[in-house]
Amino acid sequence: QVQLVESGGGLVQAGGSLRLSCEASGRDFIISHMAWYRQGSGEQRELVAGITYGGTTNYADSAKGRFTISRDGAKKTVYLQMDNLKPEDTGVYYCNTIQRTMTGWAPLGSWGQGTQVTVSS
């Protein structure tokens, strides 16, 4: 099992950048697929970016070309580099382990506290 703690959020102007970190504990991190999700106010949580344990990445259309997900096995950490941020990127960002389903990916573990990202126009 993997326990996760998110950090790195904050307030930034449109066009700015942030790097989120998700620190994991537990011996299963190395074999876990991981993802970042965003939940805007009054919205459902949606997958923003995912990375397999082998390093293959996938992104929501809204994140392509602006966000980069990466992982460091030695540090048991997953990162989300967010560039050219837009006000619609505002929300609470969560990381989680994910599993492949018939239609894509689904969250597998428990949700943590998340980290708030606010982008002002």
Side-chain angles (χ1 to χ4, degrees):
Q1 197 161 354
V2 178
Q3 291 78 45
L4 306 163
V5 178
E6 304 95 340
S7 63
L11 173 63
V12 64
Q13 288 189 331
S17 298
L18 283 172
R19 188 174 84 152
L20 307 183
S21 298
C22 172
E23 189 171 347
S25 60
R27 60 185 179 182
D28 290 339
F29 174 80
I30 198 72
I31 60 170
S32 297
H33 307 313
M34 302 293 300
W36 283 96
Y37 287 77
R38 175 179 62 236
Q39 186 168 24
S41 179
E43 299 176 359
Q44 288 192 337
R45 205 167 288 169
E46 60 178 359
L47 190 147
V48 174
I51 185 166
T52 68
Y53 67 78
T56 301
T57 59
N58 64 91
Y59 298 92
D61 287 343
S62 61
K64 287 178 182 176
R66 301 188 299 123
F67 292 5
T68 303
I69 188 171
S70 61
R71 64 191 296 161
D72 184 330
K75 295 182 178 179
K76 292 187 177 180
T77 301
V78 178
Y79 303 99
L80 185 67
Q81 176 67 41
M82 304 188 294
D83 297 317
N84 190 20
L85 282 160
K86 303 176 180 179
E88 51 263 42
D89 296 321
T90 294
V92 180
Y93 284 71
Y94 303 86
C95 66
N96 207 336
T97 53
I98 53 174
Q99 62 181 347
R100 193 180 290 278
T101 68
M102 295 284 288
T103 56
W105 297 93
L108 186 60
S110 301
W111 296 104
Q113 300 263 352
T115 186
Q116 175 71 45
V117 171
T118 303
V119 185
S120 63
S121 57

